[in-house]
Amino acid sequence: MTTRIDQRFASLRQANRKAFVTYIMAGDPDAESSMELLLGLPKAGADIIEMGFPFTDPMADGPTIQQAGNRALANGQTLIKTLDQVRVFRREDDTTPVVLMGYYNPIHHIGSVEFLNAAKSAGVDGLIIVDLPPEEDQELCLPAMEIGLNFIRLATPTTHARRLPVVLHNTSGFVYYVSITGVTGAGIPQTEAVEHDVARIKAATELPVCVGFGIKTPEVARKIAQTADGVVVGSSIVERQGRRESPESILGFVSELADGAHGC
């Protein structure tokens, strides 16, 4: 089953362009401005949009995204409200892929089957659930793939050769390579190390490999895009959400990053 994510990477390959993937926290700093930001991302150059849904114990996230999740929760943001935002987005944009990124607990609370059906109906294209390892594929990954949702996994600098095939098994859409060890927003990726690991992953899969964590400037985005199939930027966008910059200001910054990723 071909998804919007598959179609987007196919069109990017034809255009000889790399993917620019943006991450925002749904409901931060409030529902209205996050919705405005979401609607503006495609015109600002986002090829794929990751939407974080807040959770009270975000173990893989650094302070920036933790605080964004706390703000969103304080504003009453829920996973159901995040799906509602995707529905509104789909009224204006039926082509840009949307990936939900977060933790399994809120999904489990709703129920996996009910959540998957609601996500598919809302127009979600893929999931990144950071605390569900491949050993738990029956829980969410396989049912998601059965109804046409991509299940995207993370590979890291510490994913060794024996573990990598396990990570890649049942992964679809793209592989998200975490370019640094640690939590989101920490450090700056080292280009040579990223190049080596991206080559290692691409030798083991035909899926696109997108690189994220620590990418904060157009210059770094451009360097990473020379090696990877796509560049993911999250914390530096979410920082601006936290400062309550206007959506117009944030989208201007996103446009600069997109130019970097697309200009490799």
Side-chain angles (χ1 to χ4, degrees):
M1 187 181 300
T2 301
T3 67
R4 288 188 186 93
I5 296 173
D6 300 327
Q7 293 169 351
R8 180 53 53 95
F9 276 107
S11 65
L12 288 167
R13 281 193 296 270
Q14 288 182 345
N16 196 29
R17 278 174 53 146
K18 303 300 179 70
F20 178 55
V21 185
T22 57
Y23 171 98
I24 62 170
M25 177 63 71
D28 178 46
D30 56 68
E32 182 178 350
S33 60
S34 74
M35 190 71 236
E36 186 177 347
L37 182 58
L38 174 63
L39 290 169
L41 285 172
K43 290 183 180 179
D47 298 301
I48 298 172
I49 299 169
E50 293 178 5
M51 288 184 70
F53 54 92
F55 177 50
T56 54
D57 186 22
M59 59 185 179
D61 293 315
T64 296
I65 292 180
Q66 285 187 17
Q67 292 164 12
N70 288 338
R71 289 190 298 268
L73 289 170
N75 290 332
Q77 186 72 15
T78 65
L79 182 50
I80 295 299
K81 289 182 179 179
T82 302
L83 293 178
D84 289 340
Q85 288 185 304
V86 178
R87 287 191 182 90
V88 173
F89 177 79
R90 283 286 170 239
R91 294 173 194 161
E92 296 196 13
D93 188 314
D94 194 42
T95 58
T96 302
V98 174
V99 176
L100 295 189
M101 185 172 184
Y103 298 83
Y104 184 54
N105 186 278
I107 296 172
H108 180 70
H109 182 73
I110 294 172
S112 294
V113 173
E114 183 176 349
F115 164 74
L116 290 173
N117 289 333
K120 181 69 174 178
S121 173
V124 172
D125 303 291
L127 303 172
I128 302 174
I129 309 301
V130 298
D131 57 346
L132 269 185
E135 289 77 10
E136 305 295 334
D137 275 356
Q138 294 286 348
E139 192 73 29
L140 192 68
C141 172
L142 296 181
M145 293 173 66
E146 286 175 5
I147 66 169
L149 294 177
N150 289 128
F151 204 86
I152 298 150
R153 292 207 192 278
L154 306 180
T156 74
T158 59
T159 304
H160 55 68
R162 294 190 305 276
R163 181 65 177 172
L164 184 59
V166 179
V167 171
L168 295 176
H169 184 61
N170 290 330
T171 297
S172 62
F174 63 92
V175 180
Y176 187 150
Y177 175 66
V178 176
S179 60
I180 54 178
T181 56
V183 295
T184 56
I188 299 173
Q190 301 300 311
T191 306
E192 290 184 2
V194 170
E195 183 176 356
H196 174 270
D197 279 340
V198 167
R200 179 169 65 93
I201 296 168
K202 290 178 75 67
T205 181
E206 295 183 356
L207 290 171
V209 179
C210 295
V211 175
F213 282 45
I215 300 171
K216 300 177 182 294
T217 67
E219 292 74 23
V220 174
R222 184 176 295 108
K223 289 180 180 178
I224 296 299
Q226 291 172 357
T227 296
D229 298 301
V231 174
V232 186
V233 178
S235 292
S236 59
I237 297 172
V238 174
E239 284 175 358
R240 286 162 171 77
Q241 288 181 267
R243 293 199 294 264
R244 299 193 72 91
E245 290 187 19
S246 69
E248 293 82 4
S249 174
I250 298 173
L251 290 170
F253 173 66
V254 169
S255 182
E256 293 175 2
L257 292 166
D259 288 343
H262 292 148
C264 66

